[in-house]
Amino acid sequence: MEATNEDNVGSYSTKGTFLCRQSSTRWTPTTDQIRILKDLYYNNGIRSPNADQIQRISASLRQYGKIEGKNVFYWFQNHKARERQKKRFTTDPHHPMQKLRASTNFAPSNEPSSASVPSTSPALPYFGYNSRDCSASPRYGWVTENQFRAPYGLCQYKEQDTEEQDDENMSAKQTLPLFPMHNEDVKSSTATNYYCHSNSPVPYTSLELTLSSYFSQPHDAH
Amino acid sequence: MEATNEDNVGSYSTKGTFLCRQSSTRWTPTTDQIRILKDLYYNNGIRSPNADQIQRISASLRQYGKIEGKNVFYWFQNHKARERQKKRFTTDPHHPMQKLRASTNFAPSNEPSSASVPSTSPALPYFGYNSRDCSASPRYGWVTENQFRAPYGLCQYKEQDTEEQDDENMSAKQTLPLFPMHNEDVKSSTATNYYCHSNSPVPYTSLELTLSSYFSQPHDAH
DNA sequence: CGCGTATGAATGAACG
DNA sequence: CGTTCATTCATACGCG
């Protein structure tokens, strides 16, 4: 159950205190935001909004509280993933890799190991790789039973989700071709922001040297 | 089973509570590996290393923990993709000129614990096998293209990347002219004045309607 | 108040 | 290359 933060901003005095309010850490959606997001998810069938949609959604939800594009992005990602995950556990009698959320227990020494064989270096990453184990994991085939259904029954259009989005019995949503797919080029850039955090006691000074020299020389065989 | 081949992995959680986990499939880069990868990415402008580079990079990074070529490959691919994606969410696609990096500004960037406990592989088999110290890198905190590091300044010529790493504003890299780097690939701003987004802060009651219409229609103002 | 759970955030791995 | 999936880490919150 989601927290019923009526108006967000917990106002807890922990670290954020005055300055950034509640968003000192992670985004805490307001009930309205959640309601709308779910509506979009279930009633409009939006599962993986594209950048454009994300922007619009976040812009709209901004009325209800602080929110960013990435929040919307993650929300849909998580919601979808968890729904699927939950379903996997409930409907699948045999979970291939059932490992409960035992975060408090050290995992037993599993590790099939034999599968590793890192040495010898596999073929080029670009083509050869193909692992995706997860045996018994049909990408799409999950029946989605949306028991959500908002009380209000409006909003019918939704963007055709480009994907087939497991709508097995999810016929509730009606898809309308609404997007002209105006893809204005998004160029722009200026970010290049990266986090660093490097306070390692390891003597790496010489490392980059090694690395650099490594890359500098194309000496590959001959 | 023979000696627990769990890769040691002393993963620690924030509060110093460290729990062992993570011993499995997925590669978990160590802080040093990440640091170096980022350095290569930002300071050396490597975005899509070719096979040779990947080999060398992974080989070099191996001294800091288990790693394969594909890890390096994926890392660059993901890093690049995410950088762009993030930008796509936060920036306004329809804007005449570069706008600042949205209003994303919540920077936790405060490492909980400074001591990372390098844990130089407690008791590992004598084989060259290594530690792979669980990493548990404190990868968080989005620093805006700040100084990353790079106390070293060599690594001059690097193999010319066959790919065109679309550099965004990567002009920041002050290292050395590693490669040709064709910058003429600058994307021209098509100035798609798509402008719309007139999200007024007015609290709609029937929000979902508003939203739906938002997504449903390209609503070009004209 | 400490713990368990729900969920936001991140990221390795892959797919199309 | 953009997108998607799986898994994991971190944390807000409510509960007992």
Side-chain angles (χ1 to χ4, degrees), chain B residues 174-216:
Chain B
Q174 33 38 313
T175 23
L176 298 180
L178 311 153
F179 36 31
M181 200 160 137
H182 317 293
N183 280 12
E184 64 277 277
D185 182 62
V186 292
K187 305 85 152 185
S188 54
S189 56
T190 47
T192 320
N193 44 40
Y194 234 93
Y195 144 77
C196 37
H197 258 162
S198 55
N199 61 337
S200 48
V202 184
Y204 290 90
T205 20
S206 53
L207 176 279
E208 11 295 274
L209 276 185
T210 310
L211 270 186
S212 297
S213 55
Y214 252 144
F215 313 133
S216 314

Side-chain angles (χ1 to χ4, degrees), chain A:
Chain A
M1 3 356 226
E2 62 270 27
T4 59
N5 39 17
E6 19 270 11
D7 217 0
N8 78 17
V9 184
S11 75
Y12 4 78
S13 57
T14 304
K15 50 191 91 168
T17 324
F18 44 83
L19 196 289
C20 302
R21 281 167 225 113
Q22 109 287 346
S23 52
S24 53
T25 338
R26 70 185 208 185
W27 169 62
T28 45
T30 63
T31 49
D32 288 306
Q33 290 176 329
I34 291 178
R35 186 170 48 75
I36 295 164
L37 285 169
K38 284 185 178 173
D39 177 54
L40 291 171
Y41 186 90
Y42 294 107
N43 297 328
N44 285 300
I46 294 177
R47 312 290 248 240
S48 302
N50 56 38
D52 203 36
Q53 292 174 298
I54 288 175
Q55 290 203 37
R56 279 196 290 265
I57 294 172
S58 64
S60 298
L61 293 183
R62 195 120 49 212
Q63 315 173 94
Y64 298 98
K66 187 174 167 188
I67 188 173
E68 295 176 48
K70 73 170 190 176
N71 300 132
V72 174
F73 171 73
Y74 284 134
W75 190 89
F76 278 96
Q77 281 258 185
N78 284 322
H79 202 71
K80 187 176 180 181
R82 309 246 216 243
E83 191 175 72
R84 176 168 32 228
Q85 181 187 58
K86 200 168 301 179
K87 188 172 351 264
R88 192 155 53 217
F89 277 123
T90 58
T91 66
D92 233 321
H94 76 297
H95 355 114
M97 45 194 298
Q98 98 175 124
K99 56 192 284 191
L100 307 178
R101 310 268 51 232
S103 53
T104 51
N105 315 5
F106 51 90
S109 58
N110 37 30
E111 184 66 27
S113 67
S114 58
S116 301
V117 193
S119 53
T120 67
S121 183
L124 294 186
Y126 329 102
F127 349 97
Y129 293 118
N130 195 353
S131 298
R132 190 88 180 218
D133 46 19
C134 308
S135 50
S137 185
R139 287 171 60 84
Y140 305 106
W142 314 105
V143 182
T144 309
E145 76 298 70
N146 55 347
Q147 77 290 17
F148 196 74
R149 299 315 299 169
Y152 40 77
L154 32 104
C155 63
Q156 46 276 329
Y157 340 113
K158 93 124 179 78
E159 173 214 76
Q160 210 244 319
D161 194 351
T162 68
E163 285 300 304
E164 76 309 25
Q165 67 193 25
D166 43 276
D167 49 4
E168 309 257 306
N169 61 354
M170 181 180 175
S171 52
K173 75 179 171 64
Q174 46 184 40
T175 317
L176 294 188
L178 20 82
F179 263 106
M181 220 61 103
H182 56 283
N183 181 16
E184 53 282 294
D185 86 347
V186 287
K187 52 106 49 144
S188 82
S189 48
T190 332
T192 317
N193 48 16
Y194 54 93
Y195 46 92
C196 44
H197 241 148
S198 55
N199 55 340
S200 57
V202 185
Y204 54 86
T205 23
S206 55
L207 180 277
E208 6 284 282
L209 282 184
T210 310
L211 271 185
S212 300
S213 53
Y214 253 143
F215 315 136
S216 309
Q217 305 162 42
H219 64 41
D220 63 286
H222 56 280

